[in-house]
Structures are given as C-alpha cells and as structure tokens.
Amino acid sequence: MKSKKFSPIEFRREVMLSRILKRDSSGHFAEAAIPLEFRSDPLTGRSCRIVPFTLERIIRPDLAALEKRSRELTCPFCPPLVEQITPHFPPDLIPEGTIRRGKAVAFPNAGPYDVYGVVVVISDRHFIPLSDFDLETVHNALLAAQSYLKSVLKADPEAKYNFMAWNYMPPSGGSLVHPHLQSNAGYRPTTYQKQILEASEKYFREKGTNYWSDLLEQERRTGERYIGNIGNTHWLTSFAPRGRLSDTLVIFPGKASITELTEDDLRDFSAGLLKVFSYLDELNLVSFNMSTYSGFDKDQFWAHARITPRGLLLYSPIETSDQFYYQIFQDENICILPPEVACERLKKWF
C-alpha cells in the first residue's frame, strides 16, 4: 500500500447548553445556561464530556499525617523486609532472582493480574513526595520494568501483550505509600489495548498512514494541545481525556513497543515525567495513574503512554473519590479540566 505523508484528523466536538434558574445576589431567580461540551476520541470514538469546574475544589491531603500512619504499619517494600520476604523469579526467566537498577528492585507480583507480573520498588525511601523525585530514581525504575518485559518476550514470545503501569499514592488505587510501579505481560490484550490496536490497524488500512504520526503532526501544527518534546518523546494533552483532570499523552515516534525504547528514550521519558510531577504539585495534586501502550508494527502503531492526575474533591465530610457512576457504570468520562487549559499550564514546565 502506498503511504501518504499525512492524513488530517477530525476532532469532533459539540457544545450544548443546560438551562437552569439560578438565584442572583438578591435571592431572585434568573435563567442561566451552563455549557457542556461533548467530544469523541478521533481514533476509538469513545466519548467524553468536558464540564469546566473550579480547580479550587482540589485539596492537598495532609501528607505528613499520611506518611506517619503508613509507617505505623509493616511495609514489605522497606529494607530489610524487601530483601527477606519478597518472592524471586524462576531461574529460567531471571537467573539472578530479582532485577536491580540502582536502588530500584524488581520481583514477581505475588498477586499477579496476568501470567507475567512484576513489582518494581522504586527506592529504599518509604515515601517520596512528587517534588522529591529525581531523574536517576525514575529512570532506574523504568529500566527495571522494561528489562522484565524484555526477558518475558525472550523466554515466551507468545506473551506479547504487555505494559508498564504506575499507581502513585492511595487516590490512584495504590495500596502502599512506598513508591512502586508494575509491569504485566500475557497472551490476551486488555479491553482498551485491543481497541486501540484494532482501531490503529483499521486507520492504516483506510488512510494508508499511521494514526499516531498523523495525530502528532496535526497537534504540532495547531498547538492547541501540543506541549513540547524532550528528545524523541513528544508530550501533549488528550483531546478526549480518560481522566477527570485531563490526560497527558506521551508518544514515542518510530517505536512500536515500549520494549524498543532505548535507555536515552527512557531517560527522556523520565525527564518529562518529572515536569508533569511539578505541574501536578502546583495544582495541589499528589496522585496519578500512568500506563504505557505497545503494538507490533511501527507502520500502524506507535508506543505511547498516558498519565492522568488523581485527586480528592472538597465539600465532603469524608475523602471523596474523583471517580463516580459516569466512569464506573456508564463507561464515559467527565473531565472538569479542559485539555487545552491543562496544556497551557503544562507548557511552562517544558
């Protein structure tokens, strides 16, 4: 198939108004129209609703109290327990039993979510605030996670569906305060993995171009959501976010899989993550989810990653999650921080 250089992408959105009667300062009712924006992901068609809201609802948890409470419990990731009680890999997979990069140590997940699963303890420090992460610490953790995935592919090429993921702090679903990330690999893609792989293949068949290349080119041209690049990593916000506070999307041009990234690529990825951490810290956010996505053919698919903030909202007597029935039961995201606004806030850190 003859490939075109670029195919324009359609970003579909529709603004509708919700009418209410709202009390004015004198207590009388006056009509008000609240704008709602409906967007569709240009690759998958997945819908998202943009409902701008004040960021003043974001609260910073008392991290000192959280750290103190967490230290009162036994932490299996702190020395010396991390050496004494964590499992080891079978010798035919990882002869050394564990993977070590700097202070990062990787071992099998005792409660795996797939045939192959690893936990990477990022540091020997029990608690690292977002503002305290450094390049070497993050880079070593990603190298350890990638090293595991490479070993799995070498030992079992059929376990080709893989990703690296990071739940940081309790609001993200992280079970321990001690910083750690995970890698998983197996024979079946996740639902979303399958969706984007099939949609990317279909896009290539119909247009003769790589969707991720077209997306990057178009976003760079318009600048609405393109943040910048660090080496061969390109950073932008997602047009139709999957998170309530917008997503940061990282594209790795010319690489089909996260296992193909060089050490320099992972270092650039780590440097960008530190900048995102600074942005989150500025917004009083202390938590995030991150996941990478891999394919098999660089003509059709480019490896990429998503980072979405996680936070707690104000006006509640108890800590209130940012996930609710729309995401959980309707499978539709409500985003309260427009991607274009998030992009402008992120740009100053790049």
Side-chain angles (χ1 to χ4, degrees):
M1 177 185 297
K2 186 177 180 180
S3 178
K4 302 175 183 177
K5 288 185 178 180
F6 171 71
S7 296
I9 292 173
E10 181 185 2
F11 293 104
R12 291 172 297 179
R13 64 176 95 188
E14 181 181 7
V15 176
M16 303 184 71
L17 300 177
S18 176
R19 295 169 56 243
I20 65 171
L21 295 181
K22 189 176 181 180
R23 292 184 187 275
D24 58 24
S25 57
S26 64
H28 297 99
F29 285 107
E31 184 169 308
I34 302 172
L36 305 172
E37 186 171 342
F38 298 80
R39 297 188 180 189
S40 296
D41 185 281
L43 178 66
T44 65
R46 182 187 179 97
S47 56
C48 169
R49 303 177 188 210
I50 309 295
V51 185
F53 221 56
T54 175
L55 296 182
E56 293 175 0
R57 285 176 66 100
I58 300 173
I59 61 172
R60 183 187 293 270
D62 184 348
L63 296 184
L66 176 63
E67 181 185 5
K68 182 177 182 298
R69 290 199 309 269
S70 70
R71 289 186 181 278
E72 293 170 353
L73 304 173
T74 300
C75 177
F77 294 167
C78 279
L81 284 183
V82 70
E83 304 288 349
Q84 297 172 352
I85 68 173
T86 51
H88 279 202
F89 297 108
D92 58 333
L93 182 60
I94 307 291
E96 301 81 7
T98 60
I99 300 171
R100 296 178 183 276
R101 296 288 187 275
K103 292 186 177 182
V105 57
F107 47 83
N109 191 339
Y113 303 117
D114 211 326
V115 177
Y116 297 96
V118 66
V119 174
V120 180
V121 174
I122 293 173
S123 169
D124 55 5
R125 290 179 59 184
H126 176 69
F127 172 62
I128 305 180
L130 283 175
S131 57
D132 280 8
F133 278 102
D134 61 80
L135 183 62
E136 182 181 7
T137 297
V138 177
H139 188 218
N140 283 333
L142 294 177
L143 282 171
Q146 186 201 50
S147 176
Y148 174 73
L149 295 180
K150 287 182 174 180
S151 296
V152 168
L153 280 175
K154 184 177 179 180
D156 188 355
E158 294 302 311
K160 61 183 181 179
Y161 296 102
N162 59 55
F163 59 91
M164 300 189 297
W166 190 352
N167 300 328
Y168 176 73
M169 298 293 282
S172 73
S175 56
L176 292 171
V177 166
H178 198 126
H180 61 284
L181 55 85
Q182 301 180 13
S183 287
N184 296 286
Y187 310 116
R188 298 178 177 86
T190 65
T191 300
Y192 184 64
Q193 237 178 336
K194 183 174 185 289
Q195 187 178 33
I196 58 174
L197 287 171
E198 291 179 347
S200 296
E201 181 183 2
K202 180 182 178 184
Y203 185 94
F204 180 77
R205 286 198 315 267
E206 293 179 351
K207 296 183 179 291
T209 56
N210 181 312
Y211 167 80
W212 302 96
S213 174
D214 289 346
L215 175 67
L216 181 56
E217 178 64 23
Q218 186 156 333
E219 292 288 36
R220 291 182 74 176
R221 290 182 182 185
T222 65
E224 273 191 289
R225 290 169 294 276
Y226 183 76
I227 301 166
N229 74 291
I230 301 175
N232 198 37
T233 66
H234 291 263
W235 301 73
L236 53 152
T237 53
S238 177
F239 174 74
R242 295 178 60 85
R244 195 165 186 182
L245 293 164
S246 281
D247 304 338
T248 303
L249 179 63
V250 193
I251 298 177
F252 306 100
K255 309 291 176 67
S257 171
I258 207 74
T259 58
E260 298 171 13
L261 300 186
T262 67
E263 285 202 25
D264 285 343
D265 292 334
L266 287 176
R267 182 174 292 276
D268 293 335
F269 182 29
S270 302
L273 285 174
L274 294 182
K275 294 179 185 299
V276 174
F277 294 171
S278 295
Y279 156 76
L280 298 180
D281 188 62
E282 181 185 50
L283 290 184
N284 287 328
L285 292 163
V286 299
S287 184
F288 65 85
N289 292 110
M290 185 275 286
S291 182
T292 65
Y293 302 92
S294 293
F296 315 108
D297 183 347
K298 67 180 181 181
D299 290 335
Q300 301 180 12
F301 188 93
W302 283 353
H304 58 281
R306 286 183 186 274
I307 305 103
T308 192
R310 298 298 305 278
L312 305 174
L313 303 182
L314 201 56
Y315 308 141
S316 173
I318 60 174
E319 295 177 340
T320 303
S321 170
D322 58 355
Q323 301 291 300
F324 65 121
Y325 63 85
Y326 256 106
Q327 293 96 334
I328 295 170
F329 289 124
Q330 300 297 337
D331 197 20
E332 175 135 346
N333 188 46
I334 302 293
C335 179
I336 63 174
L337 177 59
E340 296 75 21
V341 175
C343 178
E344 287 303 312
R345 287 175 172 267
L346 270 161
K347 279 181 180 178
K348 75 175 188 179
W349 295 104
F350 277 73

